[in-house]
Amino acid sequence: MAIEAAGLSHVGLVRKHNEDSIFLDQGLGLFVVADGLGGHAAGEVASRIVVERIAKVIESTARQDIKSLPSYDSGYSVNGNRLREAIFDSDRAITDDIVRHPERETMGSTVVACLVEGSKATIAHVGDSRAYLVGEKTIAQVTRDHSWVAEQVANGILTTEEAKRHPFRNVITQALGNGNDLAIDIVDLELKGSDAILLCSDGLSGMVMDEDILSIVKQASNLQVAARGLIDRAIENGGEDNVSVVVLKGDLS
Ligand code: CA
């Protein structure tokens, strides 16, 4: 068995441009969703820079001694270090692009990336793009949004339901390309049985409830059908934002 994966991205029903970018490479074991910010075509540029730079760094670090990486930190796994280096690199690449194209100064991007090796999955994220672990009967959000409402929920000020409808629900507390220091979250998971990982932009998580995501993935005959079903549901529910999904299963053989 090899890694199985499927991904789709849709402009939605309201926006003129799709500023999300997705990337899937079973050979590298790399899967990425990036949600660009900045409008006027700049968001598209930012999210594309992110997926391209991450792919490049993951490829170039496959056989490298990770201790030689500029961002090496012994507190993280090998693949956690590779993802951190890749995300720092993509952050610098956006900043460099803005220097060359000042008209794009407001651009930035979120990212959620998953690097799979056999049954091990390492997930890194910045912003409010999410990873979920979909088990036999349960769904769990692996990432914690870097967003204002998520902070309020963590502090007990808002409930999860209030956060979903809050006028500030789209305010993120960190993004790639904004020139600030990044706090990248890294999670290492061991996949088993029928576990699937879903990466998505907020155009899915903001439009489709977690229980519905679970039932769509579980009822699908394969991952392509699951990805299509998730996009279709976000559109049915209003498609207010660009919507991107990547679903994958590890190589458990
Ligand atoms: Ca979005």
Side-chain angles (χ1 to χ4, degrees):
M1 265 189 54
I3 298 169
E4 291 175 58
L8 285 171
S9 185
H10 192 288
V11 68
L13 300 178
V14 176
R15 305 284 177 94
K16 283 200 179 70
H17 299 275
N18 189 349
E19 299 191 319
D20 290 356
S21 292
I22 64 172
F23 178 88
L24 301 85
D25 187 322
Q26 274 102 321
L28 280 177
L30 177 67
F31 307 90
V32 187
V33 170
D35 180 347
L37 321 157
H40 301 292
E44 291 158 68
V45 174
S47 67
R48 201 163 52 239
I49 289 172
V50 170
V51 299
E52 287 174 2
R53 296 302 306 187
I54 290 178
K56 206 163 254 176
V57 173
I58 293 304
E59 199 167 10
S60 73
T61 56
R63 277 167 294 278
Q64 195 178 337
D65 175 11
I66 55 146
K67 290 187 179 147
S68 66
L69 296 177
S71 66
Y72 175 72
D73 182 327
S74 62
Y76 296 99
S77 61
V78 170
N79 283 344
N81 270 291
R82 292 170 71 200
L83 282 172
R84 269 167 51 86
E85 181 64 24
I87 291 173
F88 282 126
D89 186 82
S90 67
D91 178 51
R92 286 190 296 269
I94 296 176
T95 308
D96 292 348
D97 188 86
I98 292 171
V99 172
R100 289 191 298 274
H101 303 277
E103 73 278 10
R104 298 179 191 153
E105 67 170 341
T106 57
M107 78 175 174
S109 184
T110 71
V111 70
V112 59
C114 180
L115 189 52
V116 182
E117 219 175 284
S119 61
K120 292 188 194 322
T122 306
I123 291 160
H125 89 288
V126 171
D128 64 357
S129 294
R130 290 183 179 177
Y132 288 93
L133 179 63
V134 183
E136 193 53 56
K137 293 193 173 74
T138 55
I139 180 166
Q141 189 180 329
V142 176
T143 52
R144 188 157 105 190
D145 295 348
H146 300 137
S147 70
W148 185 84
V149 290
E151 284 181 2
Q152 306 309 304
V153 172
N155 292 330
I157 296 163
L158 292 177
T159 66
T160 313
E161 285 313 305
E162 286 167 340
K164 274 189 199 301
R165 293 183 298 269
H166 199 281
F168 296 166
R169 63 186 178 276
N170 294 322
V171 177
I172 55 175
T173 49
Q174 59 169 351
L176 304 178
N178 71 0
N180 293 331
D181 284 346
L182 290 177
I184 302 166
D185 286 344
I186 305 277
V187 178
D188 289 295
L189 296 174
E190 181 75 35
L191 302 175
K192 43 188 188 317
S194 64
D195 285 351
I197 289 176
L198 165 67
L199 310 180
C200 66
S201 62
D202 65 333
L204 180 80
S205 50
M207 300 303 300
V208 183
M209 298 205 313
D210 290 4
E211 306 86 88
D212 293 338
I213 292 175
L214 174 63
S215 71
I216 290 165
V217 173
K218 286 289 121 185
Q219 282 164 23
S221 51
N222 60 48
L223 295 181
Q224 277 75 21
V225 173
R228 170 54 63 195
L230 292 168
I231 297 277
D232 287 350
R233 184 64 61 86
I235 302 293
E236 279 164 35
N237 289 356
E240 287 169 18
D241 195 358
N242 307 144
V243 50
S244 300
V245 302
V246 172
V247 270
L248 63 107
K249 286 185 173 178
D251 178 1
L252 307 186
S253 56

